[in-house]
Amino acid sequence: MRKSIVVLIVAVLAVAAGAVVLSLSAPVLDEEVEYRLTSLYYRGQEISSQVDGDEVLDLLEGASRGLISRGGLPAHSFRDMVEVNVVGGEEALHVVLSMEDGLFAVYQDPDWSYAIREGEALAAAVEALLPA
């Protein structure tokens, strides 16, 4: 009887710890690194010169991501996709925002992407900066 109670308590604590970790977040861009926009693609076309890069970086600095990797970057279409590429220090980051696919992710390596929290709001804010 005591052993089953201990096992139950350990299981409950493990579930609770997992829920806490899943609810935590980290900034999309490291606050201690200075980033610069290297390219911005919309619908497969490079449009960096048509967008205020500082405004895009400000939006990314205010965004957060989950702490747990969601695994590989899922397949996605390019019809409405925005891809923002930045470099900071020796780190290159890629942000993918696609309302159509419900894909809002940041990654360094496509095999390890992180979901962006409030991704729809970030995508809408970035799209508002894009040329008409």
Side-chain angles (χ1 to χ4, degrees):
M1 184 72 148
R2 280 186 159 177
K3 190 173 188 179
S4 63
I5 291 174
V6 169
V7 170
L8 179 63
I9 290 171
V10 169
V12 167
L13 290 175
V15 168
V20 167
V21 169
L22 288 175
S23 70
L24 296 177
S25 62
V28 168
L29 300 181
D30 184 340
E31 297 163 349
E32 297 180 12
V33 175
E34 187 172 330
Y35 290 90
R36 67 179 172 79
L37 182 76
T38 57
S39 61
L40 188 143
Y41 291 86
Y42 180 55
R43 297 181 175 168
Q45 300 211 2
E46 213 284 335
I47 62 165
S48 299
S49 63
Q50 302 172 45
V51 177
D52 185 336
D54 291 335
E55 287 187 41
V56 173
L57 288 172
D58 287 344
L59 290 172
L60 294 179
E61 286 172 356
S64 62
R65 65 168 176 82
L67 287 180
I68 306 296
S69 170
R70 58 186 267 157
L73 192 64
H76 50 280
S77 67
F78 290 90
R79 283 191 293 251
D80 76 334
M81 187 182 83
V82 174
E83 180 179 350
V84 182
N85 300 297
V86 299
V87 172
E90 295 186 25
E91 175 178 76
L93 290 176
H94 313 281
V95 176
V96 176
L97 306 168
S98 175
M99 294 284 240
E100 182 175 321
D101 297 319
L103 175 61
F104 312 103
V106 59
Y107 67 94
Q108 285 182 301
D109 178 331
D111 292 332
W112 297 96
S113 70
Y114 296 87
I116 295 176
R117 299 196 185 275
E118 307 295 328
E120 286 184 23
L122 176 62
V126 170
E127 285 182 6
L129 300 175
L130 302 180

